[in-house]
Amino acid sequence: MATTKRPNAKKKLLDDNQIITLYMDYVLEKNKAPENVYLFCKEHGIEESQFYTFFGSLDAIKQEIWVKFLENAIVTINLEEAYAGYSEKNKMLTLYFTLFEIFTLNRSYIVYSLKENKEGLKNLQALKTFRKQFKDFVGSIMKNDADEKENRIKKVTKPVFAEGAWIQFLFILKFWLDDTSKGFEKTDILIEKSVNTSADLMDTKPLESLLDLGKFIWKEKFN
């Protein structure tokens, strides 16, 4: 005889952060993603209805994890009193360094989700919401500096700048995933060189920075 779950059954009190932690732990401990919401909830004694209060699917959790990374980085950045007075270049450097510090704290999960599960470009679907919010934040950096850099902004619009920053971010992320240097110091070098190059491209001396960046990439990848 079929049974139904009682609506008043005792449930664990959870929030979205706890569900995210359970999901990340599951992936790292079992080296695979949960097959479906039902099995994930059963594993952790969660009512499905409670799960759906926070997430519509397991894929939604994957996207939200990346959003949380960015949100945490932005909160950390805004706690820095001097940040508001930084130049556009230094704001981008602060964003990248803060973001990759957070990534390092969660490296095992990120390496699995982007590299080891063998899904190739499908992995980038998890960055869909992150991408939009990342570009919005980068656009706000340019907007805040508009008064002091009017001449350069006439040449490069915010959407183009934000899209360029996204491509730059993916490039740095790929480098970081493969970086085996102590403390990921080579990724730090790449961040500085790539941000300097993008800043110089909006100024008048791009060639020197492009050559400097090119030499570094060639040395690390081919020597």
Side-chain angles (χ1 to χ4, degrees):
M1 179 178 178
T3 60
T4 58
K5 296 176 182 178
R6 293 176 297 169
N8 60 348
K10 186 177 180 180
K11 303 174 182 178
K12 290 183 179 180
L13 296 177
L14 295 175
D15 59 24
D16 58 339
N17 288 320
Q18 288 173 299
I19 292 177
I20 285 174
T21 298
L22 291 173
Y23 178 86
M24 293 176 71
D25 287 345
Y26 183 102
V27 165
L28 293 175
E29 290 171 4
K30 298 182 181 295
N31 199 37
K32 66 177 183 178
E35 293 183 30
N36 55 55
V37 172
Y38 171 78
L39 292 175
F40 175 75
C41 290
K42 184 177 181 180
E43 172 93 7
H44 297 99
I46 304 170
E47 293 284 346
E48 278 194 78
S49 59
Q50 190 177 19
F51 175 93
Y52 289 122
T53 299
F54 300 103
F55 300 104
S57 67
L58 293 174
D59 284 341
I61 296 181
K62 295 178 186 178
Q63 293 196 37
E64 187 63 18
I65 289 170
W66 285 91
V67 171
K68 293 287 187 183
F69 291 156
L70 180 61
E71 289 177 348
N72 289 340
I74 293 172
V75 168
T76 301
I77 287 169
N78 288 328
L79 289 175
E80 192 171 336
E81 293 183 5
Y83 175 76
Y86 286 175
S87 66
E88 177 185 292
K89 181 177 76 172
N90 286 335
K91 285 180 178 179
M92 288 300 298
L93 285 171
T94 301
L95 171 62
Y96 283 138
F97 284 134
T98 304
L99 199 50
F100 278 88
E101 284 179 7
I102 291 172
F103 287 173
T104 298
L105 294 174
N106 297 276
R107 183 173 171 88
S108 294
Y109 173 80
I110 293 174
V111 169
Y112 170 82
S113 65
L114 293 182
K115 191 174 181 180
E116 293 186 353
N117 63 11
K118 312 302 182 185
E119 291 188 6
L121 293 178
K122 291 182 180 179
N123 295 321
L124 295 182
Q125 288 295 317
L127 278 67
K128 183 177 179 181
T129 306
F130 173 93
R131 176 179 181 271
K132 181 182 183 305
Q133 296 192 15
F134 175 89
K135 290 174 63 178
D136 287 345
F137 184 72
V138 170
S140 73
I141 290 176
M142 173 171 275
K143 180 179 181 180
N144 291 338
D145 281 356
D147 291 340
E148 64 184 76
K149 298 183 177 181
E150 288 180 355
N151 290 334
R152 278 182 281 174
I153 290 175
K154 288 179 183 178
K155 298 178 182 178
V156 183
T157 63
K158 281 197 297 180
V160 172
F161 179 79
E163 188 62 38
W166 173 248
I167 295 171
Q168 181 183 64
F169 164 77
L170 290 178
F171 178 70
I172 297 170
L173 178 62
K174 175 62 171 64
F175 188 95
W176 175 79
L177 285 170
D178 297 331
D179 189 0
T180 58
S181 64
K182 182 179 178 180
F184 307 107
E185 56 189 13
K186 290 181 179 178
T187 296
D188 289 344
I189 294 172
L190 179 64
I191 289 173
E192 289 198 39
K193 291 184 179 296
S194 60
V195 171
N196 286 338
T197 297
S198 60
D200 289 345
L201 284 170
M202 298 178 70
D203 284 318
T204 57
K205 52 174 185 177
L207 184 58
E208 182 179 346
S209 290
L210 279 174
L211 289 173
D212 190 32
L213 175 61
K215 288 177 182 177
F216 174 75
I217 295 172
W218 179 267
K219 178 181 177 182
E220 295 305 321
K221 289 300 181 182
F222 300 104
N223 287 353

